[in-house]
Amino acid sequence: RALFSEAARLAGVPQSWANSSGLHNILRRESGGVVGKPNYTYGSRRNSPEGVAAIHNELRNGQITARSSATGLGQLLLSNVDRYYPNGRAGIGDPVQEAAGMLSYIKDRYGNPDNAWRLYGTRHEGY
């Protein structure tokens, strides 16, 4: 909650979002709260520190080597990382950047975390 409170300031959204049950439900479903978590389509590579570091480097360089480029707390696709992380791809693996990007994405697509959770899984896999 403290991380998302800090990220809310950076993303320009209400700090109350840090306590939203909708946000925390999405967080549990998408990454389990693991910063920098690569999408499951990366297979076994995502299970070792070396594999995760290699995936992060690929993504920072614009290389997508799995079916989905989703990564991080909010499992944002690389195109959304570019758009919503305050520092773009450089923010992959940074807790505040990932949290702020997730909040900005939610604001842009759904208006608030509770709407995002209410619509979870209805438009496509995830939110």
Side-chain angles (χ1 to χ4, degrees):
R1 294 182 194 279
L3 169 63
F4 279 93
S5 183
E6 179 181 348
R9 285 189 293 274
L10 186 60
V13 301
Q15 283 190 277
S16 61
W17 285 19
N19 297 312
S20 163
S21 61
L23 174 69
H24 291 280
N25 288 333
I26 294 168
L27 186 62
R28 270 191 294 283
R29 284 275 183 92
E30 293 296 317
S31 67
V34 177
V35 174
K37 184 174 186 173
N39 186 267
Y40 67 91
T41 62
Y42 279 96
S44 63
R45 294 178 62 206
R46 70 188 188 110
N47 296 324
S48 73
E50 299 82 16
V52 170
I55 292 166
H56 287 180
N57 283 332
E58 291 166 5
L59 290 171
R60 287 184 191 112
N61 291 317
Q63 297 173 288
I64 300 171
T65 59
R67 195 173 73 233
S68 174
S69 63
T71 190
L73 290 170
Q75 290 292 288
L76 269 63
L77 297 172
L78 189 58
S79 59
N80 288 325
V81 166
D82 288 337
R83 182 172 181 183
Y84 295 109
Y85 282 20
N87 292 334
R89 294 176 192 174
I92 294 172
D94 179 285
V96 175
Q97 292 282 312
E98 290 188 9
M102 184 179 181
L103 292 173
S104 294
Y105 174 79
I106 287 171
K107 177 184 177 185
D108 195 35
R109 275 207 63 153
Y110 300 98
N112 65 60
D114 293 327
N115 283 340
W117 177 243
R118 184 175 52 77
L119 294 168
Y120 190 91
T122 63
R123 297 179 178 175
H124 50 80
E125 183 181 1
Y127 70 113

